[in-house]
Amino acid sequence: MLRYAEIQEDSPTDQRDRERELFDRSVELLTKALEDGVKSFACVEAVHFTIRLWTTLLDDLAAPDNALPKELRASLISIGIWVLRESDAIRKGESENISGVLDITKIIRDGLK
């Protein structure tokens, strides 16, 4: 996964397309995990990818040079923290809420269109 600093030369449209592609991949993996169950390899793969995606996004959202409005950044950070906590709980076998993580991921992805 590319770091945001590595793609700053891309146009905002290219960056948004890349973000959408990453969210598409997360949705694809989470959908497969939901079908196969929380004890499946698909779930491990989906949770790992989703954690990496949101960790990268949170790093970018917390950066002082992030151009998004402060209120939007705060909301996305809050959502990201929830996704990370829920994903970690799934990973540890403490939750089976794949559908919740999937729903939030779809909402954020759709907001990038």
Side-chain angles (χ1 to χ4, degrees), residues 33-94:
L34 191 58
E35 293 168 2
D36 291 2
V38 293
K39 297 189 186 280
S40 66
F41 177 75
C43 186
V44 172
E45 185 178 22
V47 166
H48 179 72
F49 184 88
T50 301
I51 288 172
R52 286 180 46 217
L53 172 61
W54 277 99
T55 299
T56 302
L57 290 172
L58 288 176
D59 286 345
D60 183 63
L61 290 166
D65 61 340
N66 186 293
L68 289 176
K70 186 176 181 177
E71 296 79 21
L72 178 57
R73 286 185 3 211
S75 294
L76 289 170
I77 287 170
S78 178
I79 291 166
I81 290 169
W82 181 87
V83 169
L84 289 177
R85 284 185 183 152
E86 198 62 32
S87 296
D88 194 48
I90 293 167
R91 182 187 63 81
K92 291 177 179 177
E94 299 169 354

Side-chain angles (χ1 to χ4, degrees), residues 29-38 43 96-99 102:
L29 292 170
L30 288 165
T31 300
K32 178 75 170 141
L34 191 58
E35 293 168 2
D36 291 2
V38 293
C43 186
E96 296 186 5
N97 192 16
I98 299 168
S99 62
L102 176 60

